[in-house]
Amino acid sequence: MVCDDLIRVLEVQSPPEYALEWDNVGLLVGRRQKEVKKVMLAVDATADVCQMAIDKKVDMLITHHPMIFSKIKKVNDDTILGEKILSLIEAGIVCYAMHTNYDTKGGMAENAANILGLDNLEVLEETLNGEGIGKIGFLNTSVTLKELALLVKDKFGLENVLTYGKLDKKQYKIAICPGSGKSVIDGAIKKDVDCLITGDIGHHEGIDAVDMGLSIIDASHYGIEKIFMQYIYDYLKKCCPEVDIEIADVGVPFKMI
């Protein structure tokens, strides 16, 4: 199938109009009429992922995070972004991003909440037509923050998580916002959430949240968002069985020593 046909399949699942205003989703590199027989899925179009796509001779790289976020004035090999764009073009690989449109309409947080076993889900922060960023739900029974942290590690296959709050404090009403969730802390507090599970929480956000009664589990930005790859893999296998699909799960991009 051609790239444009595959894009239409993806945009049924995650319509681009659901992306937030600041985002940059869609076809970022390549030709719409490119014949696509092999796809690679990744969270980020890192240099290693781009090289992996070239080595495996894929036709289309689909990422969660856009490789190009803001306007660029030049495309050359003076920058790592320019080098990546050139390498993909020279290899005939198209690059497509589905970011906050997948986070909202696509179901990133809903999928994460289901993996965690949360019930009675509602949107944490609505953005358009009842859809939005993050989900709130309830555990089957209250658990301590330590128990919840161990559950997150187990369900998402993580070596480490960070916790803010008292480890013995009971948690029942849970918000989950895969990726970077600093901006939803106030919303979680207003909705009387016990614990927010997210990533990219800094020192000040963490201690301030605890002072306001909210526990936080920081599972890293990649730690939960990696579920994007398996979800889109299953979706494309169902809708486009003729396309060969690779998953580039390169792991959390840091090590805790």
Side-chain angles (χ1 to χ4, degrees):
M1 66 193 310
V2 299
C3 173
D4 216 28
D5 291 336
L6 197 147
I7 287 174
R8 277 193 283 271
V9 171
L10 293 171
E11 292 184 352
V12 168
Q13 199 266 345
S14 299
E17 59 266 28
Y18 281 85
L20 301 185
E21 185 178 350
W22 51 263
D23 206 0
N24 188 35
V25 302
L27 183 63
L28 304 183
V29 175
R31 299 185 183 276
R32 291 187 177 275
Q33 294 306 307
K34 165 74 178 182
E35 185 71 23
V36 176
K37 297 180 179 179
K38 191 173 186 179
V39 165
M40 177 173 284
L41 305 173
V43 174
D44 300 283
T46 63
D48 285 345
V49 167
C50 290
Q51 188 58 52
M52 195 183 306
I54 294 168
D55 292 343
K56 291 182 175 290
K57 296 180 169 57
V58 307
D59 303 302
M60 185 174 187
L61 175 61
I62 301 172
T63 66
H64 179 48
H65 296 138
M67 182 171 68
I68 303 171
F69 252 121
S70 54
K71 293 181 179 179
I72 54 176
K73 294 183 178 181
K74 299 177 182 178
V75 178
N76 58 41
D77 56 3
D78 289 342
T79 66
I80 186 59
L81 176 57
E83 180 63 39
K84 290 189 292 185
I85 293 171
L86 289 171
S87 68
L88 292 179
I89 291 174
E90 289 165 353
I93 299 172
V94 297
C95 186
Y96 180 88
M98 44 199 306
H99 188 209
T100 53
N101 52 326
Y102 176 74
D103 288 337
T104 54
K105 181 66 173 177
M108 174 76 90
E110 183 171 356
N111 297 333
N114 289 335
I115 290 170
L116 203 57
L118 301 183
D119 296 321
N120 301 318
L121 299 182
E122 63 177 88
V123 172
L124 174 53
E125 290 195 355
E126 183 177 341
T127 56
L128 180 65
N129 297 334
E131 306 289 351
I133 299 296
K135 289 288 185 181
I136 296 173
F138 296 86
L139 296 166
N140 291 330
T141 185
S142 62
V143 298
T144 65
L145 177 59
K146 181 176 181 179
E147 290 169 334
L148 181 57
L150 293 174
L151 180 65
V152 170
K153 286 178 61 177
D154 176 60
K155 292 295 185 179
F156 295 100
L158 302 174
E159 292 184 10
N160 310 97
V161 296
L162 297 173
T163 63
Y164 293 89
K166 294 181 179 179
L167 291 177
D168 60 352
K169 185 178 180 180
K170 291 292 186 177
Q171 316 292 321
Y172 179 56
K173 187 177 183 180
I174 310 300
I176 189 161
C177 180
S180 181
K182 300 183 186 75
S183 64
V184 302
I185 289 176
D186 287 344
I189 290 169
K190 288 176 182 177
K191 292 191 175 183
D192 295 320
V193 166
D194 296 319
C195 183
L196 169 64
I197 302 168
T198 187
D200 290 353
I201 296 298
H203 171 81
H204 296 290
E205 294 91 3
I207 61 174
D208 287 349
V210 171
D211 284 346
M212 290 184 283
L214 178 69
S215 301
I216 291 182
I217 295 175
D218 185 332
S220 82
H221 199 120
Y222 186 95
I224 300 177
E225 286 195 332
K226 66 181 181 180
I227 66 174
F228 161 83
M229 295 178 287
Q230 188 62 52
Y231 184 88
I232 299 301
Y233 177 93
D234 293 339
Y235 176 73
L236 288 179
K237 276 296 182 184
K238 179 181 178 181
C239 298
C240 308
E242 71 276 23
V243 176
D244 187 16
I245 307 172
E246 298 266 353
I247 289 180
D249 187 358
V250 296
V252 176
F254 62 86
K255 299 293 182 185
M256 298 185 71
I257 304 299

PDB file of all heavy atoms in Angstrom, residues 33 62 194 248:
ATOM      1  N   GLN A  33       3.164   9.206  -1.736  1.00  0.00           N
ATOM      2  CA  GLN A  33       2.938   8.084  -2.644  1.00  0.00           C
ATOM      3  C   GLN A  33       4.025   7.006  -2.540  1.00  0.00           C
ATOM      4  O   GLN A  33       4.080   6.104  -3.367  1.00  0.00           O
ATOM      5  CB  GLN A  33       2.829   8.595  -4.083  1.00  0.00           C
ATOM      6  CG  GLN A  33       1.600   9.466  -4.320  1.00  0.00           C
ATOM      7  CD  GLN A  33       0.308   8.775  -3.913  1.00  0.00           C
ATOM      8  OE1 GLN A  33       0.025   7.647  -4.340  1.00  0.00           O
ATOM      9  NE2 GLN A  33      -0.489   9.438  -3.067  1.00  0.00           N
ATOM     10  N   ILE A  62       7.222   5.172  11.999  1.00  0.00           N
ATOM     11  CA  ILE A  62       6.110   5.799  12.723  1.00  0.00           C
ATOM     12  C   ILE A  62       6.541   5.979  14.167  1.00  0.00           C
ATOM     13  O   ILE A  62       6.850   5.011  14.861  1.00  0.00           O
ATOM     14  CB  ILE A  62       4.838   4.932  12.663  1.00  0.00           C
ATOM     15  CG1 ILE A  62       4.405   4.703  11.209  1.00  0.00           C
ATOM     16  CG2 ILE A  62       3.709   5.586  13.451  1.00  0.00           C
ATOM     17  CD1 ILE A  62       3.266   3.698  11.064  1.00  0.00           C
ATOM     18  N   ASP A 194      -5.646  10.592  44.623  1.00  0.00           N
ATOM     19  CA  ASP A 194      -4.674  10.205  45.655  1.00  0.00           C
ATOM     20  C   ASP A 194      -3.249  10.162  45.104  1.00  0.00           C
ATOM     21  O   ASP A 194      -2.301  10.556  45.791  1.00  0.00           O
ATOM     22  CB  ASP A 194      -5.023   8.817  46.217  1.00  0.00           C
ATOM     23  CG  ASP A 194      -6.357   8.807  46.929  1.00  0.00           C
ATOM     24  OD1 ASP A 194      -6.651   9.771  47.656  1.00  0.00           O
ATOM     25  OD2 ASP A 194      -7.124   7.839  46.739  1.00  0.00           O
ATOM     26  N   ALA A 248      10.887  -0.928  17.526  1.00  0.00           N
ATOM     27  CA  ALA A 248      12.204  -0.497  18.002  1.00  0.00           C
ATOM     28  C   ALA A 248      12.093  -0.070  19.462  1.00  0.00           C
ATOM     29  O   ALA A 248      12.032   1.117  19.775  1.00  0.00           O
ATOM     30  CB  ALA A 248      12.719   0.656  17.147  1.00  0.00           C
TER      31      ALA A 248
END
